[in-house]
Amino acid sequence: MLDWFSKTEVDARTTMLTEPFVHDFVRANIWHFSGRDADLLVDTGMGICPLAPRIETPAGKPLLVVATHIHLDHVGSLHEFPLRAGPSMSATTFETMDPEVTYAYMFHTLEGAVSKLPQPGWKAADYRIPPAPLTRTLDEGDVVDLGDRQFRVLHLPGHSPDSIALFDESDGLFFAGDAIYDAMLIDDLPDSDRAAYRRTMLRLLDLPVRIGHGGHGPSFDGKRMREIALAYLSRTDGI
Ligand SMILES: [Zn+2]
């Protein structure tokens, strides 16, 4: 059977999964981080194939799943998990997964949506994201606590209005979602806001990041993150 996900051990506590056979527009990173009292899963991919069986956690240990924003490539498998957190701003849409808001409709007609079929007869036009009502809503300043690690929720709009990220202030570990990542930043979706994205970049310039794991592309250190933010600010200057 086709292994839909690739899995990379990033360090002793961090694993990254992605979907190599989906179009790179919607090939997002899925981060599994092991905490003392609970594990954290940041984003859940497209939901084309079941993700939950690929996430291994010790028996009885809770898995807190955080969706960084409600775009299709981050929330597809959210419904498979019992503990679902996400931005409060989008809470009602998580109950419906309206394809106009998740942009699932764009995938229906995407040329080269997948490079291998997940099952014989699979069609992008049939793609649907099941509703995944949030069991916890997150706002700026909230804390996601794994016992030995605490992640502060940052609201970083621009790519989308609801974009949130998780920052461990004690050691500079940053799960950035699509607020910032080391690849082409998407700021021209119907719900993108360039002025807000610029404010987000200005805020990120001052964030003491040691290592950032983004929603797309390779991980980055603080220096690289500031380069990405400054490049965005100069590219959009005067727009
Ligand atoms: Zn997105």
Side-chain angles (χ1 to χ4, degrees), residues 47-122:
I48 291 171
C49 290
L51 172 64
R54 298 301 313 278
I55 306 297
E56 290 144 41
T57 51
K61 192 181 189 190
L63 177 68
L64 310 176
V65 184
V66 173
T68 58
H69 61 299
I70 199 162
H71 290 163
L72 72 165
D73 47 335
H74 300 262
V75 299
S77 283
L78 187 60
H79 67 101
E80 298 173 33
F81 300 93
L83 300 176
R84 301 178 297 269
S88 63
M89 184 185 284
S90 295
T92 55
T93 315
F94 280 93
E95 295 170 9
T96 62
M97 292 293 188
D98 179 352
E100 294 290 324
V101 180
T102 64
Y103 299 131
Y105 74 92
M106 291 185 182
F107 188 66
H108 294 159
T109 53
L110 182 63
E111 188 82 34
V114 298
S115 59
K116 285 190 182 177
L117 290 183
Q119 299 100 31
W122 181 93

Side-chain angles (χ1 to χ4, degrees), residues 92-170:
T92 55
T93 315
F94 280 93
E95 295 170 9
T96 62
M97 292 293 188
D98 179 352
E100 294 290 324
V101 180
T102 64
Y103 299 131
Y105 74 92
M106 291 185 182
F107 188 66
H108 294 159
T109 53
L110 182 63
E111 188 82 34
V114 298
S115 59
K116 285 190 182 177
L117 290 183
Q119 299 100 31
W122 181 93
K123 287 189 192 65
D126 299 331
Y127 174 73
R128 298 287 179 277
I129 301 177
L134 298 179
T135 59
R136 182 182 175 193
T137 57
L138 298 175
D139 287 296
E140 169 76 29
D142 287 348
V143 173
V144 173
D145 191 352
L146 306 183
D148 57 340
R149 303 290 288 254
Q150 286 78 35
F151 290 90
R152 181 77 61 184
V153 174
L154 308 180
H155 179 220
L156 299 170
H159 168 78
S160 71
D162 64 343
S163 284
I164 58 168
L166 298 176
F167 184 55
D168 182 344
E169 291 154 327
S170 70

Side-chain angles (χ1 to χ4, degrees), residues 16-19 22-31 43-46 72-74 178 214-217:
M16 191 273 276
L17 295 92
T18 192
E19 297 168 278
V22 295
H23 193 293
D24 62 2
F25 270 19
V26 286
R27 188 185 307 142
N29 298 331
I30 299 162
W31 298 98
D43 289 333
T44 62
M46 290 287 290
L72 72 165
D73 47 335
H74 300 262
D178 286 358
H216 302 269

Side-chain angles (χ1 to χ4, degrees), residues 175-186:
F175 290 105
D178 286 358
I180 193 164
Y181 52 86
D182 196 354
M184 184 65 186
L185 296 171
I186 305 297

